[in-house]
Amino acid sequence: MISSLSIAGMVIQFILSVGFPIFLLLYFHRKQGISWKSIMIGALTFVVFVLFLEKMMHSYLLQGNTSTANFFKSHPIILALYGALAAGIFEEIGRYISFTILLSKYRERKDGISYGIGHGGIEAVVLGGISIITAISLALSINAGTFDQMVGNQPDMGVLKKTLLETPFYIYFVAAVERIGAVFIQIALSLIVLYGVKQQKWIYLVGAILFHALIDLPVGFYQTGLIPLWIAEGFILVWAVISITVIRKSKTWFIK
């Protein structure tokens, strides 16, 4: 059986993953009149560059190509480095292209914030919202004894069932907080890249890529079994606090 606390944690994760970006959107729209176009471009850029282009590369290198797949499987540290750097490159270059081409007339601080809300918001909805709905559904079916009948004899579903049964309840609460932190990180990165575009200094793009990779690296180490989850989550929270500081400091960057 999956505990009521675990299911409650899943529900809270869903509420925060979907609700927090909406709260930020409404708050900044009221306070600063942020651009809906920047929000939509931010969300679209995440979908194209992360869910499509980056995922295609991962599918080929980690599954489709036997040589590279075996290499990464045998070298977990390199796999973690690859994943972190890939995330930084795809997301920040996508950000740069969007600000340079699609949002060429949107160069104010509020445009960086709105883009970050769109980018980080859709990430939170996809990773912490949509995915957790499936987890809740499966958890309820496990408790009702209908899981095996519902999914059939799929090996992957057996692994998923084992994961759901063994995941401590507090992980879902931690993941909910992580989603909030990730949105702040995306806003900070958006402001850094936008400032670089505004100043026509590519070094800010490079800095954002490295900053992003450094943030994702502990998660990669956790996923490859090199560090425990609490250390990876701890790093995310530290970077979230740093990102909030960057967001506040950025008020001085865009003063004409």
Side-chain angles (χ1 to χ4, degrees):
M1 294 286 288
I2 295 176
S3 71
S4 298
L5 277 176
S6 292
I7 294 176
M10 294 179 194
V11 172
I12 290 174
Q13 182 179 336
F14 173 80
I15 292 172
L16 291 180
S17 296
V18 176
F20 184 68
I22 294 175
F23 164 76
L24 286 182
L25 189 155
L26 295 176
Y27 174 82
F28 281 104
H29 180 68
R30 181 180 178 183
K31 292 290 186 180
Q32 299 186 15
I34 59 175
S35 165
W36 290 100
K37 180 178 179 180
S38 297
I39 293 169
M40 296 303 296
I41 293 297
L44 180 63
T45 301
F46 177 82
V47 171
V48 172
F49 280 83
V50 177
L51 300 184
F52 182 65
L53 296 177
E54 184 182 353
K55 188 174 182 179
M56 281 181 58
M57 186 178 77
H58 291 332
S59 295
Y60 174 72
L61 293 178
L62 302 181
Q63 298 175 0
N65 187 310
T66 305
S67 298
T68 54
N70 290 336
F71 174 79
F72 282 123
K73 187 176 181 180
S74 302
H75 300 82
I77 293 179
I78 296 178
L79 175 58
L81 289 169
Y82 155 77
L85 192 57
I89 290 173
F90 276 94
E91 291 192 50
E92 303 316 315
I93 287 180
R95 235 184 283 266
Y96 179 84
I97 292 173
S98 293
F99 282 130
T100 303
I101 300 175
L102 301 177
L103 297 170
S104 59
K105 296 181 180 179
Y106 296 77
R107 299 289 170 82
E108 297 181 40
R109 178 176 178 266
K110 66 179 182 179
D111 300 315
I113 291 174
S114 56
Y115 179 98
I117 292 173
H119 189 120
I122 196 67
E123 179 184 42
V125 169
V126 172
L127 300 184
I130 296 175
S131 62
I132 206 67
I133 291 177
T134 302
I136 293 172
S137 175
L138 294 176
L140 293 175
S141 69
I142 290 172
N143 287 352
T146 60
F147 179 89
D148 295 332
Q149 180 181 355
M150 183 175 70
V151 303
N153 296 321
Q154 301 179 49
D156 291 343
M157 286 299 172
V159 174
L160 180 57
K161 180 180 180 180
K162 184 174 184 293
T163 300
L164 288 171
L165 288 169
E166 295 179 355
T167 300
F169 75 90
Y170 60 83
I171 294 297
Y172 300 107
F173 292 93
V174 172
V177 175
E178 179 198 340
R179 285 296 98 215
I180 293 176
V183 175
F184 284 123
I185 290 170
Q186 294 291 6
I187 294 174
L189 288 167
S190 298
L191 288 166
I192 292 170
V193 174
L194 176 58
Y195 182 70
V197 171
K198 186 179 178 68
Q199 297 297 317
Q200 297 183 342
K201 295 181 179 180
W202 60 267
I203 193 65
Y204 286 93
L205 172 62
V206 176
I209 291 173
L210 296 177
F211 184 29
H212 196 138
L214 191 60
I215 292 169
D216 280 5
L217 192 56
V219 178
F221 285 154
Y222 161 70
Q223 291 173 339
T224 52
L226 297 172
I227 62 173
L229 179 61
W230 68 270
I231 293 180
E233 297 289 357
F235 271 106
I236 293 295
L237 294 179
V238 169
W239 285 117
V241 172
I242 293 172
S243 296
I244 292 172
T245 303
V246 170
I247 294 169
R248 296 184 58 160
K249 292 288 185 181
S250 69
K251 293 179 180 179
T252 62
W253 301 354
F254 294 87
I255 297 175
K256 296 181 180 179

